[in-house]
Amino acid sequence: MLNKIKRIKEEIGNFRIIDHAELEEFRLKYLSKKGHLNALFEEFKTVAIEQKKEVGQQLNDLKILLSGAYERFKGELDSRRKVETSNDLTRPGDSIPLGSRHPISVVCNEICDIFNRLGYTVAEGPEIEDDWHVFSALNFPPEHPARDMQDTFFVTKNPDRVLRTHTSSVQVRVMESTPPPIRMIMPGRVFRNEVISARSHCIFHQVEGLYIDREVSFADLKQTLMFFAREMFGEETRIRLRPSFFPFTEPSAEMDVSCTCNGKGCNLCKHSGWLEIMGCGMVDPNVLENCGIDPCEYSGFAFGMGIERIAMLKFETRDIRMYFENDVRFLQQFTSAL
Ligand code: DAH
């Protein structure tokens, strides 16, 4: 048996393989069920006990040698094929799979589009802001408890620099730099010191809206938001305004849209039939004054909504964290929304 093993080892040393047919021949001859290696293992059972150790070792060596040779031959064939095909300059190129827009961008663009049709233009502001634009100008005095609603990341204390907690800071910048009439929509990223969970994140996105002109009334606000809700969620959508409080609007309201279950009861609206989507109100005269606009001459309304919240309602996702994990399996589902 030792002789047989030796002979096969020599054979392998001289083996040359030209194509896949020969590779298969090699496999059948040595490595298949009916090949030499298996036959030798069968024969091994009959070897005398005192020889088992030596023969067993040789047999195992042979096994490693044969499977190593097979892999090597296969590798050589594959790389030869690669060289041959890569030299073929007439072959078509490898296609690059097309990505898709992030669902938050999709929803943000849709919101901006709707307001563009009402004559709103887009404005942007810095993510690292000062206290004045995020809080003071918006009627949150220092030390006022209203600041507790938005737990803030402070970057430096003096001069004060914070990560903006809402896009309302851009309202202030717009009013400071633009004489009325103003009709602007302000999308952007905002930051709050929140525990990350299925419902909240320390980073999210908002779209802010601002309309300032002579004789703007609450009826204008309601009509504008109703138009938006119907464009965004469908013709049948109804809206509801509930009294609320924001330091920078007076009066203030939260807006709900009717749930598609029509109040019949679903998990999303928790059987209430309504989904809260944004805060809004008439811009407080103090805020207008802070930004250099005469409140006796001008009035206006503002609103702000969370993009993740709208995306979660639209795409029926239950966990806000999905929008930040960049898991391609999640993101790929939005290719149709390009
Ligand atoms: N800034 C508010 C928030 O982040 C949302 C908001 C409410 C914006 C009312 C507004 C507004 O412009 O008028 O909770």
Side-chain angles (χ1 to χ4, degrees), residues 150 165-168 171 192 204 206 208-209 246 248-249 253 278-282 301-305:
Q150 305 186 356
T165 54
H166 52 183
T167 41
S168 304
Q171 273 190 42
R192 286 189 202 176
F204 55 102
Q206 288 186 334
E208 190 83 11
F246 299 101
F248 39 92
T249 43
M278 69 169 98
C280 58
M282 301 305 292
F301 62 76
F303 53 89
M305 63 192 112

